[in-house]
Amino acid sequence: RALQKNIRDDLDVAVAKGLLDKIGVEYRFSHDRIQEATYNMMEDGTRRLFHFTYGLSLASLSIEEECDSILFVAVNQLNLGGPAIVQDPSQSFTVAGMNLRAGKKAMEMSDFKTALSYMNHGISFLREHHWGEHYDLSLELFELAAKCALSNGDHKRVSLLFDQVLEVAHSFEDKLEITYTYVRSLLTSSCLGEALTKGLYVLNELGIVLSGDLDALLVETKSMLAEHSDEQLLSLPAMTDRTKLMAMKFLSRTQTCLLHTNPKSQPKATLHMVQYSLRHGMSGLSSLGFVLYGSFLACLGDIPAGYRYVKIAIKLAEKLNAIGSIGEVLAVGSQVMGYVEPLQSVNEVIVRSLECGLAVGSISNAMLGCLMNTVCAFWSGKHLSLVKSTVDDTLRLMSSHSTLVWILQTLPLYRTVLAMIGNVDDVPIILGSRSDIETEKERKMSETNLHLLKVVHFNKLFVGFMFRRYDEVKQLAIANDAIASLPFNSILISHCMHVFYGGLINFWIARKTMDVSWFDRGEKAIEKMRSYADCSSWNFQNKLFLLQAEQCFYLEDIESAKRHYDAAILSAQEHKFVHEEALTCELAGHFMLESGEGSSAFPYFLLAQKKYHEWGAYAKEESMKKYIKEQFGGETTTETNIGLSIPAEPDLRKRRAS
């Protein structure tokens, strides 16, 4: 329809000669080779002129009919023409604007690779003095190009665009959006110190200083919140001031930087987000502030209050249609939910969070969701082959987007999974080496990233404990005192596992050394686990029973220990934690063996071996087989040995913990 009549007449001649086919009102080459030959016969300049002229004709039609599909075809043709073919300077800015429009449409469809291409083409069409002649158009193109570059993991492009805007921006406020994108880029590529410095500088310029006493700030925040019911919080007016909205953005990313570099100060940014929202109105990032506040309260020990604010945050994000924040809100909130709701169901929330992050091009949020999905899958007892497959895909996705900060957080757990499975050759190449091998770069990063240091240390402690490497575990446990004391003010699902396995290790060392200080640490773990079990018996009852069994083992209270071991096994079965059922059976076997009841120990060990197999922990299963053979002689008889029967399992239901 955009073609002139004389052009259609010429095309009809080509149809008559068999070069083109006409179907309805559409023309197409009768063969690909004819199209290719015709295209290559044209000189480059002529070819570009045809593309550009055709693009302009279609551009008018796309505007007239408001048709996105025609818009994309038109802009693609204009870009094939290129800036050099433009004779009228005004056309350059028209084409730049059309690329901006097409790029925005691509972003709406979550196609950030195509969107980046449009933004880059749009910038290429800008004339020499574009910052003076078309400032607003230029600024928006650069801002969105940087945002799309970040979504594609192109941190160098983000840096180049940031530097250019910084030189020509008319005001401090005009620098804020691209500075925010640059801070996110620094954070994602693990340049945490520089990201924090820039974030704090901007906040200071906006009149927000993260200083003062944390306790006083918390009391003030609680007092302000006490004036509002849940319904009133959800009904507060919206935040509309652009500068204040940018302040919320910088607060959100500053708290992320502090989480990794100075966890003790992280809540200050969170509390400022909450107070800022109460004073100036609600925004999408207000929901993030509330969910972080809930996480902080849960970390302080008030899980019910933390859970309440998680629910408020999710409702607020949904009410405000906060598509840019909902993914992160769900990811952070899921970690509190894991202390209240069944852990297996929490995984669904985490999957939704990463889908939301990918949909809006927030790669950092999506990678956070990927990491938490992996952690939740592992600790909820999913089959390890599925966990490994999930982490393989996660690491490749993280690597493709150059999200170093999340890669480093994921690798320690991945190596734990590999250690439990054993003999795994199919591992992705990450950071230039096999992902099952710790690199020097990782070791250096953990020296400055306190959260990473905790993650790395705990995973080594866990693997050593699971394979009964006592000397190694004891040394790691001694070092763990200093590491565990490092401040952390957001709650994670993995934290309850630190308490659980730390308590088991403390009781183990206490029995070996008869040092009462290790026993005291174990008792503290029991008290902590009891508080967790009060919030969710589904997730924590079996863990509490097992800790109590190990406590009774140390105290030589044989009958109480038996009841607690069996109760822990039954609870793990009931709540579908096959990995913890396996561990409990194994520890019960060691208890029976050391208590002189070898015949009673044997079926517990066999059941442990069977459950490790069900979990997919084949290396641990083989370790159990070897141990059983050493202790009892002969071949083990479980379902893993085809054709052999399973001996009667312990009669667990005859004994329950009081």
Side-chain angles (χ1 to χ4, degrees):
R1 284 171 291 172
L3 300 175
Q4 297 176 2
K5 183 178 183 304
N6 62 332
I7 297 178
R8 291 200 299 271
D9 291 342
D10 291 340
L11 291 175
D12 288 336
V13 173
V15 171
K17 292 182 177 291
L19 299 175
L20 296 178
D21 293 330
K22 184 177 182 181
I23 303 173
V25 297
E26 294 183 355
Y27 295 86
R28 65 180 61 177
F29 283 97
S30 56
H31 197 281
D32 292 344
R33 292 293 180 87
I34 297 175
Q35 179 182 1
E36 183 180 349
T38 305
Y39 190 78
N40 290 333
M41 286 174 62
M42 291 188 289
E43 293 182 356
D44 181 65
T46 303
R47 189 162 55 226
R48 289 179 177 276
L49 182 59
F50 270 113
H51 281 304
F52 194 77
T53 303
Y54 184 40
L56 287 176
S57 298
L58 288 173
S60 300
L61 185 62
S62 72
I63 295 172
E64 178 185 327
E65 300 199 0
E66 298 182 352
C67 178
D68 293 344
S69 60
I70 297 177
L71 170 67
F72 290 133
V73 174
V75 175
N76 289 339
Q77 290 297 312
L78 291 168
N79 292 340
L80 285 170
I85 208 69
V86 180
Q87 300 300 318
D88 181 355
S90 65
Q91 286 184 332
S92 291
F93 297 110
T94 298
V95 176
M98 292 198 67
N99 270 286
L100 175 62
R101 182 180 160 203
K104 287 180 174 179
K105 292 292 184 182
M107 291 175 71
E108 290 174 7
M109 295 185 289
S110 303
D111 186 354
F112 293 92
K113 184 176 181 180
T114 300
L116 176 59
S117 176
Y118 285 132
M119 299 303 175
N120 286 338
H121 276 295
I123 290 172
S124 73
F125 275 96
L126 295 173
R127 292 284 182 167
E128 182 179 358
H129 302 293
H130 63 92
W131 285 109
E133 298 172 3
H134 293 271
Y135 178 80
D136 290 341
L137 171 64
S138 301
L139 183 63
E140 189 171 10
L141 272 170
F142 274 69
E143 288 174 346
L144 292 181
K147 189 174 183 178
C148 293
L150 175 60
S151 295
N152 286 278
D154 190 348
H155 301 293
K156 288 184 179 179
R157 181 66 173 159
V158 174
S159 181
L160 288 171
L161 293 165
F162 168 72
D163 289 341
Q164 290 184 60
V165 172
L166 231 59
E167 290 180 5
V168 298
H170 290 175
S171 66
F172 174 74
E173 287 73 20
D174 286 351
K175 300 175 184 178
L176 288 176
E177 190 66 54
I178 200 162
T179 301
Y180 173 66
T181 302
Y182 183 56
V183 167
R184 290 173 60 205
S185 175
L186 291 171
L187 175 59
T188 303
S189 54
S190 208
C191 299
L192 300 172
E194 187 178 353
L196 180 59
T197 299
K198 288 196 176 296
L200 291 173
Y201 167 76
V202 171
L203 289 173
N204 188 63
E205 290 296 306
L206 293 173
I208 300 173
V209 181
L210 303 183
S211 60
D213 180 67
L214 176 59
D215 292 337
L217 190 60
L218 177 59
V219 170
E220 183 182 10
T221 304
K222 286 183 175 181
S223 177
M224 293 174 68
L225 286 167
E227 299 175 6
H228 305 276
S229 66
D230 294 3
E231 291 72 21
Q232 288 172 332
L233 287 174
L234 294 170
S235 301
L236 287 174
M239 185 184 295
T240 56
D241 184 273
R242 180 178 178 274
T243 302
K244 288 181 171 57
L245 288 167
M246 289 305 307
M248 288 291 287
K249 288 185 175 183
F250 280 96
L251 280 169
S252 71
R253 295 289 67 90
T254 299
Q255 70 81 25
T256 306
C257 293
L258 290 170
L259 167 69
H260 295 284
T261 59
N262 185 10
K264 187 176 181 180
S265 296
Q266 180 212 1
K268 293 182 180 180
T270 297
L271 296 175
H272 273 284
M273 290 181 74
V274 174
Q275 291 195 13
Y276 211 71
S277 299
L278 294 173
R279 291 190 178 107
H280 304 296
M282 293 294 169
S283 70
L285 284 170
S286 299
S287 61
L288 179 59
F290 280 114
V291 82
L292 289 167
Y293 178 64
S295 180
F296 178 42
L297 293 179
C299 194
L300 292 176
D302 194 349
I303 292 173
Y307 185 66
R308 172 196 167 202
Y309 282 102
V310 165
K311 290 298 186 181
I312 291 173
I314 294 173
K315 288 180 180 177
L316 181 62
E318 291 173 343
K319 178 184 177 182
L320 297 176
N321 192 29
I323 58 174
S325 306
I326 186 65
E328 191 171 4
V329 169
L330 291 171
V332 175
S334 70
Q335 302 303 288
V336 181
M337 292 178 186
Y339 288 79
V340 180
E341 302 176 12
L343 194 54
Q344 293 86 347
S345 66
V346 171
N347 211 61
E348 298 172 7
V349 177
I350 299 174
V351 170
R352 183 186 166 202
S353 78
L354 70 90
E355 290 173 347
C356 290
L358 289 172
V360 297
S362 180
I363 297 302
S364 182
N365 289 350
M367 296 306 102
L368 172 63
C370 285
L371 171 59
M372 291 181 171
N373 181 38
T374 299
V375 172
C376 189
F378 181 80
W379 293 120
S380 62
K382 281 194 174 182
H383 197 279
L384 289 179
S385 63
L386 296 177
V387 178
K388 179 188 177 297
S389 177
T390 299
V391 190
D392 285 343
D393 293 341
T394 294
L395 285 171
R396 292 188 181 101
L397 183 63
M398 289 177 173
S399 182
S400 69
H401 289 91
S402 304
T403 53
L404 180 60
V405 68
W406 301 119
I407 291 172
L408 294 174
Q409 298 287 338
T410 304
L411 284 172
L413 181 60
Y414 185 54
R415 291 173 186 138
T416 294
V417 173
L418 296 179
M420 299 305 295
I421 296 174
N423 298 322
V424 178
D425 294 324
D426 178 25
V427 295
I429 303 299
I430 303 295
L431 303 178
S433 65
R434 285 173 57 94
S435 51
D436 56 341
I437 301 171
E438 186 178 18
T439 65
E440 184 62 29
K441 184 175 185 178
E442 291 176 72
R443 285 188 282 271
K444 287 184 178 179
M445 291 296 296
S446 65
E447 293 174 3
T448 56
N449 188 327
L450 300 183
H451 178 53
L452 178 60
L453 177 62
K454 278 191 170 185
V455 172
V456 170
H457 187 82
F458 172 71
N459 277 276
K460 290 179 179 178
L461 194 64
F462 172 82
V463 172
F465 174 69
M466 293 302 293
F467 286 94
R468 308 294 291 176
R469 298 195 285 260
Y470 174 76
D471 291 337
E472 174 187 333
V473 169
K474 184 180 178 183
Q475 290 303 313
L476 288 168
I478 292 171
N480 192 58
D481 278 355
I483 295 173
S485 66
L486 293 172
F488 202 85
N489 290 305
S490 290
I491 200 165
L492 299 174
I493 288 171
S494 57
H495 290 171
C496 65
M497 303 304 170
H498 292 205
V499 173
F500 177 47
Y501 287 95
L504 295 176
I505 289 167
N506 288 331
F507 284 128
W508 187 25
I509 297 174
R511 291 198 308 273
K512 290 280 190 178
T513 62
M514 297 309 296
D515 183 342
V516 72
S517 65
W518 292 102
F519 177 77
D520 291 341
R521 294 171 192 169
E523 288 204 313
K524 289 179 182 177
I526 287 177
E527 291 308 307
K528 192 71 172 177
M529 193 58 62
R530 184 176 283 113
S531 70
Y532 293 156
D534 288 341
C535 295
S536 174
S537 60
W538 180 285
N539 291 335
F540 303 111
Q541 183 189 67
N542 70 296
K543 299 173 182 65
L544 176 59
F545 284 154
L546 182 54
L547 285 168
Q548 290 171 326
E550 291 286 287
Q551 177 191 43
C552 293
F553 185 2
Y554 174 88
L555 296 172
E556 299 182 356
D557 185 349
I558 304 302
E559 291 306 313
S560 293
K562 288 178 180 178
R563 290 196 302 272
H564 281 94
Y565 281 120
D566 290 351
I569 294 170
L570 290 171
S571 180
Q573 287 177 351
E574 182 180 354
H575 301 130
K576 307 182 189 309
F577 296 117
V578 64
H579 58 311
E580 290 167 2
E581 183 183 354
L583 174 62
T584 306
C585 288
E586 180 185 359
L587 295 184
H590 286 298
F591 159 72
M592 294 290 186
L593 196 61
E594 292 184 36
S595 300
E597 299 186 27
S599 60
S600 298
F602 184 64
Y604 280 100
F605 283 131
L606 288 179
L607 183 55
Q609 180 187 324
K610 173 187 173 184
K611 294 301 176 180
Y612 281 127
H613 179 82
E614 289 180 13
W615 185 32
Y618 303 125
K620 178 60 183 177
E621 177 193 10
E622 288 302 315
S623 175
M624 286 298 306
K625 283 183 180 180
K626 182 179 179 181
Y627 180 80
I628 294 170
K629 188 174 182 179
E630 289 173 353
Q631 292 296 323
F632 302 99
E635 294 294 327
T636 60
T637 54
T638 71
E639 286 184 341
T640 59
N641 294 319
I642 299 174
L644 300 177
S645 62
I646 305 173
E649 295 178 357
D651 189 2
L652 306 178
R653 298 194 181 274
K654 288 184 179 179
R655 301 194 296 264
R656 293 303 301 260
S658 56

